Amino acid sequence: VLPALVLNYFGQSALLLAQGEAATQPFFMLAPEWALIPLVVLAAAAAIIASQALISGAFSLTRQAILLGYVPRLDIEHTSSHAMGQIYVPQVNWGLMIATILIVVGFGSSGALAAAYGIAVTMTMMITSILLFVVATNRWGWSAPLAAAVIGLFLTIDVAFFSANVVKVLQGGWLPLAIAAILFTGMTTWKTGRRLVADRLMARAVPFTDFLACIDAAPPVRVPGTSVFLTAQPGGTPPALVHNLRYNKALHQHVIVLTLTTAQTPHVADPDRIAVQVLRPDITVVRAQFGFMEDRKSTRLNSSHTDISRMPSSA
């Protein structure tokens, strides 16, 4: 690809040096008149291929942001049983479609979009170079001076391109900056809110040892049946269980604390699906995991396959 791009840019530069008026459409004016239509078809096909890469990247980034806690949970559909990263996010797909239509209608021409495109691409190049420095020092073990020398070469070119596009901010380059500011504000606000909520829940969480001691000290009324309490933090007593005991003054004969997790594999074998920890005969902690291709609503939890002998000595 690189030689083809270099030759193409050299050809456009040579054309502009010979015919200054070709600055309006240097790419299409490179070809003779009979090749104009085939070149337009080729350019459209290239745009479609590039858009598929952008859409797939948006899906992947969204999923990573969800796992990192920067974006609310969305519907994620796994379209492959072999590749965990091959996903489809309907909300993101619809959002991209609506945003694309609004931008095209708002700008009205490809020329007007050029300023927004230039700012977006050059800033992406700069960010990529900076992240490459982080990878080189933290992952590849390069020394900081060596990484700075190598990355500085690329960053110099990137900054030159970006500086040339800064003058186009008022002509449409403000759009990617505005979108980035909105996304950054929303993601950091969501992350901060989740952290505050988690901190408050952790501060109020009652350790299982204290909860069991409370039951032993003042045995509550036991009612027939089994109750199941869902929790994302298996290390502490679920708040719903604590509130049930505090306000209802009663517990079921059997209490199950259930935690659901997603494994890094498409499917989870039945023997590995459930882990059981018996705190006492009437209170059990169950950790169930599912493959990323499995539907939790339709997957049967078969506890008969659980190997209790593999649990810790406290089980």
Side-chain angles (χ1 to χ4, degrees), residues 165-285:
N165 284 271
V166 167
V167 295
K168 299 181 180 180
V169 170
L170 297 180
Q171 303 174 16
W174 56 269
L175 179 63
L177 300 178
I179 295 176
I182 294 173
L183 292 177
F184 178 82
T185 302
M187 294 170 66
T188 53
T189 301
W190 180 262
K191 179 69 172 181
T192 303
R194 282 177 55 89
R195 179 178 56 80
L196 293 176
V197 171
D199 291 344
R200 293 185 180 182
L201 291 177
M202 287 296 296
R204 298 178 182 178
V206 178
F208 272 119
T209 54
D210 296 345
F211 181 77
L212 299 178
C214 179
I215 293 178
D216 294 334
V221 176
R222 308 306 292 260
V223 297
T226 301
S227 59
V228 179
F229 294 89
L230 289 170
T231 179
Q233 300 172 349
T237 308
L241 177 56
V242 176
H243 294 164
N244 180 68
L245 178 62
R246 178 178 301 170
Y247 297 109
N248 295 331
K249 310 298 182 183
L251 284 179
H252 287 81
Q253 290 179 342
H254 300 283
V255 176
I256 297 177
V257 178
L258 177 61
T259 300
L260 305 179
T261 59
T262 302
Q264 300 296 313
T265 56
H267 304 280
V268 175
D270 284 341
D272 301 325
R273 188 174 301 283
I274 299 179
V276 178
Q277 182 180 8
V278 181
L279 299 180
R280 46 187 284 172
D282 56 343
I283 299 180
T284 305
V285 177

Side-chain angles (χ1 to χ4, degrees), residues 4-195:
L5 286 175
V6 172
L7 289 175
N8 179 268
Y9 291 144
F10 280 173
Q12 293 187 47
S13 300
L15 176 65
L16 292 176
L17 290 175
Q19 304 176 22
E21 64 276 8
T24 54
Q25 292 289 347
F27 175 74
F28 292 106
M29 295 185 68
L30 277 175
E33 294 185 2
W34 62 265
L36 180 60
I37 299 301
L39 197 59
V40 171
V41 173
L42 179 63
I48 294 174
I49 295 173
S51 68
Q52 294 302 308
L54 183 146
I55 294 171
S56 299
F59 293 162
S60 178
L61 288 175
T62 300
R63 183 179 182 277
Q64 295 175 35
I66 292 174
L67 295 177
L68 292 172
Y70 282 97
V71 175
R73 293 187 179 274
L74 302 174
D75 296 330
I76 298 178
E77 300 178 8
H78 294 272
T79 58
S80 172
S81 59
H82 304 287
M84 185 176 182
Q86 189 170 327
I87 58 175
Y88 171 69
V89 185
Q91 294 91 336
V92 174
N93 195 49
W94 280 95
L96 289 174
M97 184 198 72
I98 295 173
T100 301
I101 294 174
L102 292 177
I103 291 174
V104 170
V105 173
F107 279 88
S109 67
S110 59
L113 280 170
Y117 178 82
I119 291 292
V121 171
T122 53
M123 288 197 68
T124 300
M125 294 167 62
M126 291 174 57
I127 294 172
T128 303
S129 297
I130 295 173
L131 292 178
L132 182 59
F133 175 84
V134 177
V135 172
T137 54
N138 294 343
R139 295 289 185 178
W140 299 344
W142 290 16
S143 63
L146 175 61
V150 175
I151 307 305
L153 175 63
F154 297 103
L155 197 58
T156 300
I157 302 174
D158 298 338
V159 171
F161 279 124
F162 176 73
S163 301
N165 284 271
V166 167
V167 295
K168 299 181 180 180
V169 170
L170 297 180
Q171 303 174 16
W174 56 269
L175 179 63
L177 300 178
I179 295 176
I182 294 173
L183 292 177
F184 178 82
T185 302
M187 294 170 66
T188 53
T189 301
W190 180 262
K191 179 69 172 181
T192 303
R194 282 177 55 89
R195 179 178 56 80

